[in-house]
Amino acid sequence: MEFQEIQALLEQFDQSSLTEFDLKDGAFGLYFNKNQECRPVVTGTNEVTTAAPVELQPVAVAPAKHEVKSLANESLPQAAPVVEAEGTEIVSPVVGVVYLKPAPDKPDFKKVGDRVEKGEVVCIVEAMKVMNEITAEVAGEITAVLVENEQVVEYNQGLFKVKEG
């Protein structure tokens, strides 16, 4: 399916009274949802969890002769304030939803002031239903947490600052 076709479907879905749209064609699948709660997600461990609702974000795709308009609305939550802190930045390797906790009822992996070792998990970024563990590339102290739990993050967006040592 071409990008223009997906964009046209999304525009029609947005203007319709439908609350969910699920399209499957062979290996290709497309799912739109306007509900506050999403459908259950089956993980590889036979657990069924409910995915967090994801707000539409601006799409930064620039085909040669096509203009892409922003799909974001003005009521989106604001990103965490940028804090100027010293140290090496840990960045997201993918676009996705960042989770600062291993589970909703567990404490954060790391917070400001915590010591982190090289290779230690500092958060998880979910991309396309795959949980990617993000690890520290340096040992040191967390000087800043640059995102909020369950925030949508971009590729190469800063997540933490670590003061080496």
Side-chain angles (χ1 to χ4, degrees):
M1 182 171 259
E2 295 294 320
F3 177 75
Q4 292 81 7
E5 293 172 300
I6 295 172
Q7 188 177 19
L9 278 172
L10 182 58
E11 287 174 7
Q12 289 177 357
F13 174 73
D14 191 42
Q15 295 171 1
S16 75
S17 61
L18 293 174
T19 57
E20 285 187 286
F21 176 77
D22 197 357
L23 172 69
K24 291 184 179 157
D25 184 22
F28 176 78
L30 185 64
Y31 176 70
F32 299 146
N33 183 347
K34 293 181 188 176
N35 296 325
Q36 291 297 321
E37 291 188 26
C38 294
R39 65 183 175 186
V41 176
V42 178
T43 63
T45 61
N46 292 334
E47 295 179 21
V48 176
T49 60
T50 301
V54 177
E55 297 289 333
L56 294 177
Q57 296 294 318
V59 177
V61 177
K65 296 181 181 179
H66 303 285
E67 184 179 325
V68 178
K69 70 178 184 180
S70 173
L71 299 176
N73 61 32
E74 294 179 19
S75 65
L76 290 176
Q78 296 299 316
V82 176
V83 177
E84 290 300 321
E86 293 182 18
T88 304
E89 199 169 67
I90 299 173
V91 297
S92 176
V94 294
V95 175
V97 177
V98 67
Y99 296 101
L100 300 177
K101 303 175 179 193
D105 59 337
K106 303 287 182 187
D108 289 356
F109 283 104
K110 294 293 174 185
K111 57 186 178 295
V112 174
D114 285 353
R115 177 105 182 118
V116 66
E117 297 300 323
K118 184 175 181 175
E120 189 175 359
V121 175
V122 293
C123 65
I124 295 172
V125 176
E126 178 186 8
M128 297 176 62
K129 297 188 172 68
V130 175
M131 300 298 183
N132 300 283
E133 290 184 339
I134 309 304
T135 58
E137 295 184 15
V138 295
E141 179 184 336
I142 302 285
T143 57
V145 179
L146 306 175
V147 293
E148 294 178 10
N149 191 43
E150 298 182 5
Q151 177 181 328
V152 176
V153 294
E154 299 294 325
Y155 169 76
N156 219 23
Q157 179 177 343
L159 304 171
F160 295 88
K161 289 258 183 155
V162 178
K163 182 178 177 182
E164 294 184 52

